[in-house]
């Protein structure tokens, strides 16, 4: 997702809806309300199959109305009682306001922020993944009922994390296609809660970004210009495996195509991929959406087609159903006028998206009277969901080193003084990684340790995670370690080091972090435990071979209560070696 050109479209769509800006998603939930302008029409008849209802609605629309349904910020059709709908909501590891479909505030100030996916994946526990999906499903549907979220969530990200430099690897379940495939199916099942007989959905998930995408911006090449050269075998054996599982086993309602090209063809213009692999071979029952501005990117940045209308034709003919971005709303009518696409191409796309809306119950009248209508603010940030977030972090934490059984720290140690140092000692927002929302609350590592230790002294040791330059407060951290009976160093990366749009050039810890860790270890008289927060891998050879560092834990980005989970592992409440 990037630089979405929202403004022009808001104006367009607002005008179409009769003035004002197209409002939150939930307005359309009242389509087909009793007594409304369409209540007696076939598309409002719940007894008909979803696809037949979608066809009936599409057949009633003008071309101008339909092209405004080809984009994420879909315009309303007031004469039929259909309000605008924002398709773009996110829920990678909790309901997130990264897209415009979700808004926190009022009755919904936050949502449970589970660990970033790379951490949860390290549990290798599909039961856990599905339980998280279910919790997020409750919270997402509750926010929809309250008018603060859509029902179409563009999660999970199941790209294979092959290149360790990739800034978005944190969002994925890692580099192993078998694990990623199991993750995709489990999370999607949890999120969608699909009824097997009717196909009815609680939420619609979306597996992204198809395919072979693991570069954002590295040494002069960015994702908008990247051409991944991939053999057919590598696609089959690796890159496409989680997507197949997502569609075939998870029954995801959507797949998103990426910005990059694969073997010279933009994925969003590749008919062999979209119509061939995803729809025909895997049998997608749902819609294919572009990454945000992908169509504009392959026209403007990649110069893949000569005209904008050729780009419209290339993507619709390839099998795209929904454009995240305004491009298709702006240029599809002129593409028809030039004979490059026909009304049949538009109808096919809109029928696919509207069918998913039908399955979500968006044309069944008042959402309060529907199967999930009871979900409200009291179902968000519940004690059970927050406990699941802690449990996910505990299960995701990985034990990398434990010399002389230094871990867990003994209750005797806890009764004395523990120094908690390092740039992540008081981490909050760093713990939830990217594509996060507003968490219910945070438990920082320092707060977590303070629940076990009689005295927890804190020194950051670095002014920030970059830890660059001469003015780093390393000496104060060394001093705290010297005086403590045990030292916990919480270090690692954050979104300033690895992020969307930002790949790493080095796998070492940033700036002077390694110097901080070694200096603290050298001065410490008690055991030293190093805790690392990161999405991508870090070369910690120096710590592995340092005899003064007895224990090393990797915690990924452990979510809103990561500090509690870290302390639970350090003090023996949870054994990271037992599962
Ligand atoms: C998987 O996670 C669930 C939910 O937290 C837990 O009950 C179960 O014990 C876990 N399985 C393993 C093998 O750790
Ligand atoms: C890539 O990074 C460079 C700086 O390293 C920056 O100038 C450029 O805008 C970035 N491009 C994208 C597409 O993020």
């Amino acid at each position: 997702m990037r630089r979405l050109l929202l403004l022009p479209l808001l104006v367009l769509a607002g005008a179409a809806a009769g003035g004002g800006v197209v409002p939150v998603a939930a307005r359309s939930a009242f389509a087909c309300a009793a007594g409304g302008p369409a209540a007696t029409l076939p598309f409002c008849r719940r007894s008909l199959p979803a696809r037949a209802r979608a066809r009936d609605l599409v057949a009633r629309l003008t071309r101008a109305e339909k092209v405004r349904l080809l984009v994420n910020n879909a315009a309303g059709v007031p004469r039929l009682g259909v309000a605008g709908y924002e398709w773009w909501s996110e829920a990678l590891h909790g309901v997130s306001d990264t897209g415009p479909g979700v808004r926190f505030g009022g009755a919904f100030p936050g949502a449970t922020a589970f660990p970033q996916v790379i951490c949860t994946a390290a549990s290798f526990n599909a039961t856990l993944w599905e339980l998280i999906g279910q919790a997020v499903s409750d919270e997402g549907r509750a926010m929809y009922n309250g008018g603060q979220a859509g029902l179409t969530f563009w999660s999970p990200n199941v790209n294979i994390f092959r290149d360790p430099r990739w800034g978005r690897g944190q969002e994925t379940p890692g580099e192993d296609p078998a694990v990623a495939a199991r993750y995709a199916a489990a999370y999607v099942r949890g999120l969608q809660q699909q009824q097997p007989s009717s196909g009815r959905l609680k939420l619609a998930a979306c597996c992204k970004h198809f395919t072979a995408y693991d570069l954002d911006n590295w040494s002069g090449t960015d994702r908008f210009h990247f051409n991944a050269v991939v053999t057919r075998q590598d696609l089959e054996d690796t890159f496409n495996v989680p997507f197949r599982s997502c569609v075939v086993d998870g029954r995801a309602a959507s797949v998103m195509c990426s910005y990059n090209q694969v073997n010279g063809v933009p994925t969003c213009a590749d008919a062999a991929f979209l119509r061939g692999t995803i729809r025909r071979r895997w049998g997608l029952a749902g819609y294919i959406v572009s990454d945000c501005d992908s169509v504009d990117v392959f026209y403007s940045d990649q110069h893949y087609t000569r005209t904008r209308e050729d780009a419209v034709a290339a993507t619709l003919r390839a099998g795209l159903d929904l454009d995240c971005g305004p491009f298709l709303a702006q240029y599809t009518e002129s593409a028809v006028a030039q004979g490059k696409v026909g009304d049949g191409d538009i109808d096919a796309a809109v029928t696919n998206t509207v069918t998913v809306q039908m399955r979500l119950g968006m044309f069944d009248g008042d959402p309060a009277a529907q199967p999930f209508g009871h979900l409200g603010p009291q179902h968000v940030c519940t004690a059970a969901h927050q406990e699941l977030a802690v449990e996910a972090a505990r299960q995701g934490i990985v034990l990398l080193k434990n010399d002389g059984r230094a871990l867990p720290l003994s209750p005797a140690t806890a009764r004395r003084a523990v120094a908690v140092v390092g740039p992540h000692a008081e981490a909050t927002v760093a713990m939830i990684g990217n594509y996060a929302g507003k968490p219910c609350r945070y438990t920082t590592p320092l707060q977590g340790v303070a629940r076990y230790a009689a005295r927890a002294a804190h020194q950051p040791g670095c002014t920030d995670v970059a830890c660059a330059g001469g003015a780093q407060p390393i000496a104060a951290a060394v001093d705290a370690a010297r005086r403590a009976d045990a030292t916990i160093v919480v270090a690692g990366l954050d979104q300033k080091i690895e992020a969307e749009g930002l790949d790493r050039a080095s796998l070492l810890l940033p700036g002077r972090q390694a110097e901080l860790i070694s200096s603290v270890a050298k001065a410490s008289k008690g055991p030293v435990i190093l805790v690392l927060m990161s999405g991508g891998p870090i070369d910690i050879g120096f710590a592995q071979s340092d005899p003064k560092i007895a224990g090393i834990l990797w915690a990924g980005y452990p979510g809103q209560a990561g500090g509690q989970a870290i302390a639970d592992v350090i003090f023996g409440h949870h054994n990271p070696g037992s599962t």
Side-chain angles (χ1 to χ4, degrees), residues 152-427:
T152 45
F153 288 86
W154 293 348
S155 311
N157 178 344
V158 295
N159 286 120
I160 292 293
F161 185 10
R162 177 173 285 178
D163 192 321
R165 298 167 294 191
W166 191 30
R168 301 189 72 178
Q170 59 180 302
E171 298 169 36
T172 76
E175 83 255 35
D176 181 328
V179 173
R182 287 176 61 218
Y183 177 84
Y187 190 67
V188 167
R189 269 197 299 267
L191 214 53
Q192 294 197 149
Q193 301 284 294
Q194 180 167 182
Q195 281 182 6
S197 51
S198 65
R200 194 182 168 98
L201 298 162
K202 185 164 154 197
L203 303 182
C206 171
C207 285
K208 67 191 186 186
H209 319 70
F210 189 86
T211 187
Y213 164 39
D214 62 358
L215 175 145
D216 261 53
N217 189 359
W218 200 85
S219 186
T221 302
D222 66 47
R223 57 183 172 164
F224 309 122
H225 301 87
F226 178 46
N227 175 27
V229 177
V230 188
T231 65
R232 277 181 61 188
Q233 176 167 11
D234 215 2
L235 282 173
E236 288 290 318
D237 285 356
T238 308
F239 293 108
N240 288 355
V241 172
F243 289 96
R244 181 183 183 280
S245 165
C246 175
V247 172
V248 174
D249 306 320
R251 307 220 155 275
S254 177
V255 172
M256 178 184 286
C257 48
S258 57
Y259 293 117
N260 57 285
Q261 302 186 348
V262 173
N263 299 329
V265 182
T267 58
C268 292
D270 193 325
F273 274 161
L274 306 191
R275 283 196 196 284
T277 304
I278 298 174
R279 217 170 260 294
R280 232 185 341 265
R281 272 180 58 205
W282 298 345
L284 173 74
Y287 70 98
I288 299 177
V289 60
S290 73
D291 202 340
C292 294
D293 291 333
S294 268
V295 182
D296 186 38
V297 163
F298 79 66
Y299 168 73
S300 304
D301 300 42
Q302 298 174 7
H303 310 293
Y304 181 70
T305 62
R306 202 173 53 77
T307 69
R308 293 182 172 88
E309 287 74 17
D310 290 328
V312 170
T315 198
L316 287 179
R317 289 273 160 81
L320 191 86
D321 302 305
L322 185 73
D323 174 20
C324 178
F327 201 91
L328 288 189
Q330 290 168 332
Y331 303 113
T332 300
E333 281 188 277
S334 51
V336 175
Q338 293 173 19
K340 300 198 187 250
V341 289
D343 286 311
D345 298 303
I346 302 170
D347 290 359
V350 177
T351 304
N352 284 334
T353 53
V354 172
T355 299
V356 170
Q357 292 180 309
M358 294 288 174
R359 291 165 64 199
L360 286 160
M362 288 175 58
F363 287 83
D364 293 351
D366 186 352
Q370 291 180 29
F372 310 108
H374 66 287
L375 293 170
Q378 72 277 19
H379 297 95
V380 180
C381 289
T382 61
H385 292 176
Q386 295 199 59
E387 175 54 30
L388 186 63
V390 183
E391 176 59 19
R394 285 186 202 113
Q395 291 192 30
I397 290 171
V398 179
L399 180 65
L400 297 175
K401 180 180 182 183
N402 195 14
D403 275 3
R405 295 176 172 267
L407 286 170
L409 293 184
S410 69
T413 304
R415 277 194 294 275
R416 293 185 280 169
V418 177
V420 185
V421 306
H424 276 322
E426 290 200 281

Side-chain angles (χ1 to χ4, degrees), residues 46-87:
R46 289 189 217 182
S47 55
L48 294 177
R51 198 156 184 90
R53 296 172 68 186
R55 281 211 191 91
D56 177 71
L57 173 58
V58 171
R60 293 171 192 280
L61 302 177
T62 67
R63 186 187 298 153
E65 287 167 340
K66 285 184 284 200
V67 301
R68 300 263 171 82
L69 300 183
L70 290 171
V71 293
N72 65 298
N73 194 340
V77 186
R79 67 187 176 86
L80 291 173
V82 179
Y85 178 67
E86 174 52 68
W87 282 84

Side-chain angles (χ1 to χ4, degrees), residues 525-551:
K525 62 173 187 281
V528 177
I529 309 300
L530 173 62
V531 180
L532 294 161
M533 289 192 197
S534 75
I538 307 171
D539 177 351
I540 48 156
F542 76 96
Q544 189 72 22
S545 59
D546 185 337
K548 294 283 309 251
I549 299 173

